[in-house]
Amino acid sequence: MPGTDGQLHVPRDLFAPVKDVQYVVGDMAAIYPILACSVTEALPLLARVGVSCRPTVPSILRLLRQCRKQSTTRQRRKYSVRNYFAVLRFLRDKVLGRASAEEKGQVVTALKTEQLLWIPYQMPHSPDESGFGRFLRAAEIAWEDSSGVCHKYGHISMSDLCSLVHPEDSVQMETWKQWLLDLGVQREHSASMQVMVMKAVCSKSCTKEAVVDYWHLLASAAKDGEMEEAVRNALSEGSILVPSASQSWVHLSPTVFEDDWRAVSLMLEGSHLKLLSPSPRLLSEDAAVRDHAAGMHFLRESGLKTISESVECLVEKAVECAPSNHVRHIARIVQASMGGIQRCVRHMFPTRYKKLTSENFCEVFPWHVLGNHRQ
């Protein structure tokens, strides 16, 4: 049978064009268009062939399953927050109202175990703005976004959506909150959600805004033990990256950051190392600077090294591999790994080693100061 969406449907997937039905399902469902007679005359026949003439728990759950299945195909549709919450409110009122125990159990079980809660990919400007989204289980959604940035990366909290539909209505907000938390919605983003958000940040361009959000999320992860462990594991696995000075996302190892060396130019050309970015001086707000400091502490505990530590490590490795007393051989190994090391040494010690050249590099420069010197 034809629907208002221009598609053919089996009768049980269609709804009758009556006000009670349309108030609940809106444009989320296909409505059977009655053209030849009045709605009152058509209802008995529609009910006989299986068209839903009034919203019921089975018909609404079937609608959500159909919408979820359709959202993964080319025929996916846009929905508005207001429209979806009308459907969800019908189910909520059934659970909190006088529905039978069987119907209440059907709703709770379905919303807890199936991906039937819809979240838009982008935060809409109004409850009537339609957009694409995805269907998730209750446990995959957070009620509140304490970080304040997750909504930018497709992880919108239910409280943000509720406030669109019920602005300044604390009673409705509290009712939604308690019901959704009882279904299994997380009070705040869990550790796995935090990792997903940070992966989403790293999949975007390495802009200043994205980097500031990155430091904020990293700082918030450091405050929660479970979240801290999850993010640290993701960093070591390489699924979460770190921002580099070249405005790109790179792996934590072999990333380094400047400590006693005065400028980004100290990064050595030809090296396997990448320089971390940005430094606090590029951040305009005090909160961003604090997030950067907390995030740096987190990365240091996760294995991030300074430039001097990394250079010292290379020198030590060269010493281990070289025959005893073959200083020139050591120099060649280090120079091959870090072609710009002489230029950087001259920058660090402009007076003492201004005459440093490739020929006298081995004899003039005492290697141990790379890891120990402090300007």
Side-chain angles (χ1 to χ4, degrees), residues 131-181:
F132 293 116
R134 64 186 185 279
F135 286 84
L136 301 171
R137 295 182 183 86
E140 298 172 323
I141 302 173
W143 167 254
E144 190 172 10
D145 174 17
S146 57
S147 70
V149 300
C150 294
H151 66 276
K152 299 180 185 179
Y153 304 96
H155 293 265
I156 300 172
S157 65
M158 291 300 288
S159 63
D160 287 338
L161 299 181
C162 286
S163 62
L164 277 181
V165 182
H166 305 289
E168 300 181 3
D169 191 337
S170 59
V171 175
Q172 280 289 347
M173 289 289 289
E174 188 62 26
T175 303
W176 279 113
K177 178 181 179 179
Q178 292 302 321
W179 185 66
L180 289 170
L181 291 179

Side-chain angles (χ1 to χ4, degrees), residues 47-219:
R48 188 176 302 174
V49 298
V51 175
S52 297
C53 296
R54 63 183 182 86
T56 62
V57 167
S59 66
I60 295 301
L61 290 178
R62 187 165 57 244
L63 168 63
L64 289 177
R65 293 182 180 114
Q66 184 180 359
C67 292
R68 177 199 61 199
K69 184 178 180 180
Q70 196 176 47
S71 68
T72 61
T73 68
R74 293 183 178 180
Q75 296 180 336
R76 63 177 185 161
R77 297 172 58 189
K78 294 181 177 181
Y79 308 118
S80 69
V81 175
R82 190 186 302 278
N83 207 168
Y84 174 73
F85 266 78
V87 173
L88 201 58
R89 182 188 296 169
F90 173 82
L91 297 176
R92 185 198 71 179
D93 292 346
K94 286 291 184 181
V95 173
L96 300 180
R98 297 181 178 180
S100 65
E102 181 182 359
E103 285 189 330
K104 291 181 179 180
Q106 289 176 354
V107 173
V108 171
T109 301
L111 295 181
K112 277 188 174 182
T113 60
E114 299 181 48
Q115 294 176 316
L116 298 181
L117 293 176
W118 180 78
I119 298 291
Y121 287 122
Q122 294 183 340
M123 187 65 189
H125 296 93
S126 73
D128 299 308
E129 179 183 341
S130 297
F132 293 116
R134 64 186 185 279
F135 286 84
L136 301 171
R137 295 182 183 86
E140 298 172 323
I141 302 173
W143 167 254
E144 190 172 10
D145 174 17
S146 57
S147 70
V149 300
C150 294
H151 66 276
K152 299 180 185 179
Y153 304 96
H155 293 265
I156 300 172
S157 65
M158 291 300 288
S159 63
D160 287 338
L161 299 181
C162 286
S163 62
L164 277 181
V165 182
H166 305 289
E168 300 181 3
D169 191 337
S170 59
V171 175
Q172 280 289 347
M173 289 289 289
E174 188 62 26
T175 303
W176 279 113
K177 178 181 179 179
Q178 292 302 321
W179 185 66
L180 289 170
L181 291 179
D182 289 343
L183 286 178
V185 169
Q186 303 291 317
R187 191 171 295 275
E188 293 184 353
H189 284 93
S190 63
S192 59
M193 292 180 192
Q194 183 84 353
V195 170
M196 290 174 62
V197 173
M198 294 195 70
K199 287 180 181 178
V201 175
C202 297
S203 68
K204 305 289 184 181
S205 298
C206 192
T207 61
K208 179 180 177 180
E209 180 184 10
V211 171
V212 169
D213 290 342
Y214 176 90
W215 289 122
H216 183 64
L217 291 167
L218 200 60

Side-chain angles (χ1 to χ4, degrees), residues 262-313:
R262 299 177 184 174
V264 172
S265 61
L266 293 174
M267 187 56 226
L268 308 180
E269 294 181 4
S271 167
H272 69 300
L273 303 175
K274 303 292 183 183
L275 187 65
L276 192 74
S277 170
S279 62
R281 62 180 174 273
L282 300 179
L283 306 174
S284 55
E285 298 181 5
D286 291 341
V289 174
R290 289 194 297 271
D291 289 340
H292 178 273
M296 285 297 297
H297 180 72
F298 185 93
L299 291 180
R300 285 285 281 155
E301 290 186 337
S302 300
L304 180 69
K305 296 184 180 299
T306 64
I307 291 179
S308 55
E309 286 172 336
S310 298
V311 174
E312 185 179 19
C313 180

